[in-house]
Amino acid sequence: MENIIIPVADVYETAEEFVLKLDLPGVEKEKINITIQPGRISIKGEVDTTHRDEARLLLREIGLKTYYREFNLGEGIQHQAARAEFEQSVLTVILPKTDAAKAKIISIR
Amino acid sequence: MLVRFDVPRTLNTLFEDFAVSESAPSTRSFPALDIAEYENETVIVAELPGLKKEDVKITFEEDVLTLSGERKPYEIPQDARVLINENRVRTFNRSIRFGHDVDANRISADLQNGMLKVVVPKAESAKPRTIEVK
């Protein structure tokens, strides 16, 4: 059976966008799947073993697993403009806000 | 004078998690380790997401291999509002004691895809031998 793990996440927002950061250690960039649709984003990443067949495992805390996590999204996100980066096994997903959802600065005359 | 406000609807409904399995994000020892023994070497794999190689220190002293280091916090814009903050471990220190002699001068390590791999070759005295029956 597949071992599904929820990856650790950090999320913050600025006036312009939402930023998700997820730890995906051991996942190759090609094995990451990001699906975004109105109201939801899901992120999946598969870990392959790093051990050769003849290994005698004395300690096994890492193991084989699939990372999977979903987030509900509110309105006001430009789905088409979403982008992602992957560095040091941290996946960063940037979700720009629509103009209507951006923080507004109103100057008082 | 400036007045600033956000659109509340987006803020309140965004990023409400729902679980897909019973396991919460890991709270075990950090970093998680695999130790694999081979005929001529022992390979230690550590999960170190978000670390660069200069953030990791590896020492070997008196049969003990120690992995230590610090995960640097992300650079977050000053005006950002944090919605989920699960990354709390910033420094770590884990040690592994070897019960056999190792060739300490040939220990090597590399860090790829957030996985640190340390190869610790066995000393000649610790390698398996085939004994010939005369």
Side-chain angles (χ1 to χ4, degrees):
Chain A
M1 256 243 342
E2 218 177 9
N3 187 17
I4 295 177
I5 298 287
I6 303 171
V8 167
D10 287 308
V11 177
Y12 64 84
E13 71 165 309
T14 67
E16 301 285 316
E17 61 202 14
F18 291 93
V19 179
L20 287 77
K21 284 180 176 283
L22 288 96
D23 285 358
L24 300 175
V27 180
E28 304 270 348
K29 194 169 135 189
E30 295 71 30
K31 294 277 177 73
I32 300 174
N33 228 301
I34 306 169
T35 310
I36 183 165
Q37 56 184 299
R40 183 177 302 178
I41 183 168
S42 66
I43 292 141
K44 187 180 176 186
E46 282 169 49
V47 178
D48 280 332
T49 185
T50 55
H51 305 299
R52 305 196 296 274
D53 287 347
E54 66 271 27
R56 191 166 78 97
L57 289 172
L58 306 180
L59 179 67
R60 184 140 221 214
E61 295 174 347
I62 299 173
L64 291 181
K65 61 197 156 196
T66 297
Y67 288 107
Y68 187 78
R69 192 159 182 171
E70 291 186 349
F71 298 90
N72 286 336
L73 302 178
E75 288 172 22
I77 285 170
Q78 294 184 58
H79 297 91
Q80 303 302 323
R83 58 187 197 277
E85 293 159 17
F86 192 51
E87 260 189 318
Q88 279 96 40
S89 79
V90 177
L91 177 72
T92 302
V93 182
I94 296 157
L95 303 170
K97 295 181 183 177
T98 58
D99 287 340
K102 280 179 188 166
K104 290 178 182 65
I105 296 169
I106 298 163
S107 54
I108 299 174
R109 282 178 289 184
Chain B
M1 191 190 167
L2 293 178
V3 176
R4 203 181 129 178
F5 64 94
D6 294 298
V7 178
R9 200 163 162 202
T10 310
L11 303 181
N12 294 338
T13 55
L14 207 96
F15 301 122
E16 196 183 298
D17 270 312
F18 47 93
V20 291
S21 86
E22 290 154 20
S23 55
S26 170
T27 51
R28 297 166 305 174
S29 324
F30 183 85
L33 296 182
D34 271 7
I35 302 179
E37 192 186 0
Y38 296 94
E39 198 176 321
N40 296 322
E41 63 200 23
T42 307
V43 177
I44 291 135
V45 179
E47 255 182 5
L48 290 172
L51 276 90
K52 294 180 183 163
K53 62 180 184 186
E54 54 268 29
D55 302 330
V56 183
K57 190 179 165 198
I58 304 163
T59 60
F60 187 85
E61 201 181 355
E62 292 179 1
D63 298 334
V64 177
L65 180 83
T66 302
L67 311 177
S68 60
E70 185 180 8
R71 181 174 182 169
K72 302 270 170 25
Y74 301 120
E75 279 179 32
I76 294 179
Q78 271 197 335
D79 63 335
R81 198 167 80 104
V82 175
L83 304 172
I84 299 177
N85 179 9
E86 294 174 348
N87 256 319
R88 290 174 209 285
V89 177
R90 296 297 179 205
T91 61
F92 63 91
N93 195 315
R94 273 196 93 174
S95 297
I96 299 130
R97 179 177 292 278
F98 284 75
H100 60 74
D101 288 339
V102 312
D103 188 349
N105 292 325
R106 285 177 49 234
I107 295 175
S108 63
D110 84 320
L111 180 61
Q112 259 179 8
N113 268 337
M115 303 295 265
L116 176 74
K117 194 172 177 179
V118 185
V119 179
V120 184
K122 290 181 182 175
E124 282 306 318
S125 62
K127 287 180 187 171
R129 284 187 305 148
T130 312
I131 298 165
E132 219 176 296
V133 180
K134 285 182 213 173

